Amino acid sequence: MSNNYYITTPIYYVNDMPHIGHIYTTVMADVFARYKRLSGARVRFLTGTDEHGQKIDKAARGQGIEPIDLADRVVARYHDLWKTLEISHDDFIRTTEERHKRSVAQIIGRITAAGDIYKGEYTGWYDARDEAFVPDSQVKDEHDIESGHPVERLSEPSYFFRLSAYQDRLLAWYRDNPDCIRPRTRLNEVMRFVEGGLRDLSISRASLGWGVSYPGDDQHVVYVWLDALTNYISALGFGAEDEKLYDEFWPATLHLVGKDILRFHCVYWPAFLMSAGLPVPQQVFGHGWWLQDEAKMSKSVGNVVRPDYLINRFGADALRYFLAREMAFGQDASFSDQAFLERFNADLANALGNTASRTLSMTGRYLEGRVPAEVAEGPVPKAAEEAVGRYRERMEALEPHRALEAAWQLLAAINGHIQERQPWALAKEGDDGREALESTLYASLEGLRITSLLIEPFMPGIAEQLRLQLGAQDLPRNLGDATDWGGLPAGTVIGKTEPLFPRVDIKAFLKEIAMETPKDGAATPTEPVPEDTLLDIEDFAKVKLVVGEVRKAERVPKSKKLVRLMVDLGEAELRQIVAGIAEQYEPEALVGRRIVVVANLKPAKLMGVESRGMLLAANLEGVPFVLSPDGEVPPGTTVI
Ligand code: MSP
């Protein structure tokens, strides 16, 4: 069997900022990638963003910006967040990249050559206000459930993929490879769905401009899921001159996805690949949902936990640990501050942090900070061997929460041993107690060194700190022979002891959060601004803010949100400014109003209309409140 291991996350939509759900999938993929690297595999780990399609187009239009500008902004946020969370991906694919578009054209070329594409008519529910098709599942009583807009049946020409022809081959694939979809219950769901019969799939849109141009017919763009799924091979250079990575790493070892998108990965994707004559992935794992107050966390429901607060306050590793430990991999779990804090105190501050600080401070106090002679007998070496075995077994079985349980059993054994031997009492016995004191502390120190390896895929930062404190930073770091007992040499000088996780006062903390979080819990409390993002006053002075008076205002045709304003800025001519405020303000009501304008912005076109400036508005969860000076200030007055 090949030693190569290719793991992927879904590529995330860029119509909203990342939340705990996206973080979960990515952290878990990172855990497996790190585990496999430490176990000696050649790992490739891919994540990225899904930037085309109606959702993104609509979100960008709503903000009055181009889709690519929205994508750039959200992608920057993903990059920052993955860095903070120590995500060790090897590549980040964006579907707007040329390398990706080329692969999409290639796969469509192959599917076409296989005779699996024909031209037909796509009929669906069309929202004339948003100028977009709405999925059947989102329509009730001829209205879009999300927006409330009326919808009508409409047809447009479209290319179709003969998905119906793949029913038998897909079923044979599931039957012959019962591990290709995990957990098992999900395999059964997918099989039942496919057994129910498959309809051909529309794979192009004529009514949408934001997507990969359909090869050979630029009146169409490629359906966003065919575009998106191809990322898994485009990032390996499929269809490029150099297909080295593709040859080495395809088929993927594991596509890790949420259960919401299992069908796309287990039905459409393998069918596309089969048609294109390409190997199908080895395994797709559909994990469960993080729920909050019994509701699925999602943007539309508006109860998404923003993670920044937890990360700032408790560190990335604590969040990584909680996500991996709290959710039985594959099932749903609830996200609550209470559960997070309890685990933080019990598992991290207490079981891990205290065991480490007790052991290390006693080594400092009683043994002059030096590791004593090795002992191989006793309960701790045995517990370590068992924990390592169980840990590996559980990781291989894709039960990371169980693997952590095994590591914590080792910590419990270390602690139990300390309690039983009472090194503080042995220290008082002088020479008589010396041997027992040394053997107890060796067992604890060495047990902690092995623990540091087991927790490494989950908490890389803390694992490193623990090794530094043990003086073990230069010792081999892997999940193979480095986990054998006895790796910590006698005489090693331990590092400086510092608490890994200071305990939290849960009551006081929950009170603090309640005061800072809005009632619906949707937003995060204001975060402290990191020093390096603070502006110099000179930079701020570059922004030319002036008072303006609206002279004319009208809606931008065909747009729900945009208003075209002609504004007096005290200049010779009126300025044309386009603002996304039509849903809250009647244009007529704006005429005569004094506003504040950024006067030196580069001009931009919004739905074809040029905007030469931007008005300032407070933004309350997407709802704008236009700012005005408090008094009769003439147009052109500088704002500082
Ligand atoms: N762009 C598609 C995926 C294309 S893959 C070829 C997409 N993007 S998404 O931004 O909506 O992300 C969906 C994924 O985010 C889920 O499959 C899951 O991995 C993760 N999660 C989003 N919300 C989640 C929870 N509440 N709980 C757990 N994971 C969830 O779908």
Side-chain angles (χ1 to χ4, degrees):
M1 228 171 96
S2 151
N3 192 30
N4 289 353
Y5 182 88
Y6 180 34
I7 183 165
T8 65
T9 73
I11 46 171
Y12 303 109
Y13 288 130
V14 290
N15 58 334
D16 193 27
M17 292 299 172
H19 62 69
I20 211 81
H22 309 125
I23 287 182
Y24 177 68
T25 316
T26 314
V27 163
M28 294 318 296
D30 188 61
V31 165
F32 287 114
R34 286 178 183 271
Y35 164 75
K36 284 288 173 184
R37 280 189 206 111
L38 287 164
S39 305
R42 274 195 72 222
V43 172
R44 187 130 193 114
F45 169 19
L46 174 71
T47 188
T49 40
D50 189 352
E51 304 187 6
H52 289 131
Q54 200 169 286
K55 253 187 220 278
I56 318 300
D57 191 49
K58 195 171 151 189
R61 272 196 288 164
Q63 297 182 30
I65 57 174
E66 295 297 325
I68 190 67
D69 295 330
L70 174 64
D72 285 347
R73 193 192 294 164
V74 177
V75 165
R77 173 76 185 115
Y78 269 107
H79 280 306
D80 282 354
L81 187 61
W82 293 163
K83 191 160 175 243
T84 308
L85 282 164
E86 304 153 298
I87 304 300
S88 63
H89 51 290
D90 299 292
D91 196 359
F92 187 106
I93 182 93
R94 300 183 56 176
T95 54
T96 45
E97 287 174 86
E98 279 313 313
R99 59 171 176 158
H100 174 73
K101 294 184 193 166
R102 189 177 47 212
S103 295
V104 173
Q106 287 277 338
I107 196 168
I108 292 180
R110 280 169 165 260
I111 297 174
T112 310
D116 281 332
I117 289 180
Y118 61 91
K119 207 164 179 184
E121 284 277 310
Y122 172 75
T123 305
W125 291 108
Y126 190 76
D127 173 349
R129 283 203 221 164
D130 277 354
E131 301 159 41
F133 281 97
V134 177
D136 287 357
S137 57
Q138 206 176 299
V139 173
K140 208 177 159 208
D141 300 333
E142 302 199 355
H143 280 78
D144 176 347
I145 312 174
E146 267 186 21
S147 66
H149 297 168
V151 292
E152 54 183 331
R153 293 303 274 180
L154 210 81
S155 294
E156 66 171 28
S158 172
Y159 291 94
F160 279 82
F161 170 65
R162 273 184 225 287
L163 182 62
S164 56
Y166 284 85
Q167 183 180 15
D168 291 345
R169 284 181 66 182
L170 284 168
L171 287 171
W173 177 52
Y174 308 141
R175 281 195 205 107
D176 297 345
N177 302 276
D179 276 337
C180 68
I181 302 172
R182 291 274 309 274
R184 272 295 153 79
T185 48
R186 304 261 148 78
L187 170 71
N188 297 338
E189 283 164 26
V190 171
M191 286 183 75
R192 246 175 284 133
F193 170 76
V194 175
E195 278 160 3
L198 294 171
R199 281 197 301 175
D200 289 350
L201 183 73
S202 158
I203 53 156
S204 75
R205 290 284 180 276
S207 51
L208 183 72
W210 181 237
V212 177
S213 223
Y214 195 89
D217 186 347
D218 57 14
Q219 297 301 303
H220 291 245
V221 297
V222 176
Y223 169 53
V224 68
W225 272 99
L226 171 51
D227 168 352
L229 288 160
T230 306
N231 90 87
Y232 300 129
I233 53 176
S234 65
L236 295 177
F238 168 74
E241 237 164 66
D242 178 5
E243 287 194 334
K244 194 164 156 280
L245 282 174
Y246 173 80
D247 292 339
E248 279 178 69
F249 287 101
W250 192 256
T253 322
L254 180 61
H255 288 318
L256 185 57
V257 301
K259 64 182 181 183
D260 52 322
I261 54 174
L262 204 64
R263 194 175 290 177
F264 296 98
H265 285 79
C266 300
V267 182
Y268 297 178
W269 180 224
F272 293 147
L273 289 165
M274 285 171 183
S275 168
L278 303 172
V280 294
Q282 291 176 35
Q283 194 170 63
V284 180
F285 190 100
H287 67 66
W289 280 96
W290 281 101
L291 311 167
Q292 198 192 19
D293 301 332
E294 303 308 311
K296 179 180 109 180
M297 272 192 274
S298 82
K299 291 164 268 202
S300 41
V301 185
N303 62 353
V304 183
V305 176
R306 298 280 168 190
D308 316 58
Y309 192 67
L310 295 175
I311 299 173
N312 277 339
R313 177 70 198 248
F314 301 100
D317 278 5
L319 181 63
R320 288 174 63 112
Y321 172 80
F322 176 75
L323 294 174
R325 180 67 189 83
E326 182 76 2
M327 186 182 262
F329 199 52
Q331 291 167 28
D332 291 347
S334 285
F335 195 100
S336 77
D337 294 324
Q338 182 82 31
F340 177 87
L341 297 168
E342 278 168 12
R343 274 211 183 277
F344 184 88
N345 274 350
D347 300 4
L348 297 179
N350 212 15
L352 176 59
N354 268 352
T355 309
S357 66
R358 277 173 112 184
T359 302
L360 288 158
S361 59
M362 287 192 285
T363 308
R365 203 170 321 134
Y366 308 138
L367 304 178
E368 297 80 45
R370 277 180 197 278
V371 174
E374 183 195 332
V375 275
E377 263 85 69
V380 180
K382 195 161 160 278
E385 197 185 329
E386 277 171 19
V388 170
R390 224 174 10 253
Y391 172 94
R392 278 203 198 109
E393 196 184 285
R394 293 300 103 207
M395 286 303 281
E396 293 298 328
L398 298 181
E399 291 183 348
H401 56 293
R402 283 276 156 75
L404 281 172
E405 223 168 69
W408 260 250
Q409 278 161 3
L410 171 55
L411 284 168
I414 299 171
N415 239 327
H417 190 54
I418 295 177
Q419 272 324 101
E420 196 196 303
R421 291 286 192 96
Q422 310 221 337
W424 48 92
L426 294 170
K428 286 196 193 129
E429 291 174 18
D431 283 351
D432 291 347
R434 183 79 185 181
E435 202 184 319
L437 172 68
E438 290 190 355
S439 74
T440 308
L441 288 180
Y442 184 87
S444 304
L445 291 162
E446 174 61 356
L448 283 166
R449 183 192 66 83
I450 293 173
T451 304
S452 80
L453 296 169
L454 301 184
I455 63 173
E456 164 102 24
F458 298 88
M459 296 189 281
I462 289 291
E464 182 65 26
Q465 275 186 44
L466 179 54
R467 273 194 297 273
L468 269 171
Q469 297 195 25
L470 291 165
Q473 66 276 16
D474 298 328
L475 298 179
R477 195 172 57 91
N478 64 56
L479 284 165
D481 55 9
T483 58
D484 291 348
W485 187 263
L488 190 61
T492 303
V493 179
I494 63 167
K496 190 161 167 249
T497 308
E498 268 162 314
L500 294 172
F501 295 102
R503 238 188 125 71
V504 193
D505 177 342
I506 297 187
K507 256 199 192 151
F509 180 76
L510 288 176
K511 220 166 159 190
E512 180 189 318
I513 292 200
M515 278 165 56
E516 290 182 41
T517 317
K519 282 264 175 317
D520 65 359
T524 18
T526 341
E527 296 165 40
V529 182
E531 209 70 273
D532 57 0
T533 62
L534 293 177
L535 279 188
D536 284 325
I537 187 78
E538 293 88 320
D539 288 329
F540 177 70
K542 288 182 197 151
V543 183
K544 192 173 163 213
L545 294 169
V546 289
V547 172
E549 183 179 313
V550 179
R551 290 289 169 78
K552 264 197 217 160
E554 60 180 21
R555 285 174 186 277
V556 171
K558 287 200 188 151
S559 166
K560 222 169 33 160
K561 292 211 169 172
L562 297 182
V563 189
R564 186 173 77 96
L565 303 169
M566 296 306 286
V567 185
D568 180 358
L569 295 183
E571 297 168 331
E573 283 177 19
L574 296 183
R575 274 281 189 113
Q576 175 166 298
I577 289 174
V578 181
I581 54 174
E583 282 182 320
Q584 288 75 25
Y585 291 86
E586 281 306 323
E588 298 74 22
L590 291 165
V591 176
R593 175 154 180 173
R594 298 269 158 86
I595 57 175
V596 181
V597 171
V598 183
N600 60 342
L601 264 193
K602 284 191 185 140
K605 273 209 168 150
L606 306 179
M607 292 203 53
V609 184
E610 187 175 50
S611 182
R612 296 181 47 239
M614 183 175 88
L615 70 70
L616 294 192
N619 181 327
L620 183 66
E621 294 180 336
V623 179
F625 290 80
V626 172
L627 298 188
S628 292
D630 181 21
E632 287 297 315
V633 185
T637 308
T638 307
V639 177
I640 44 163

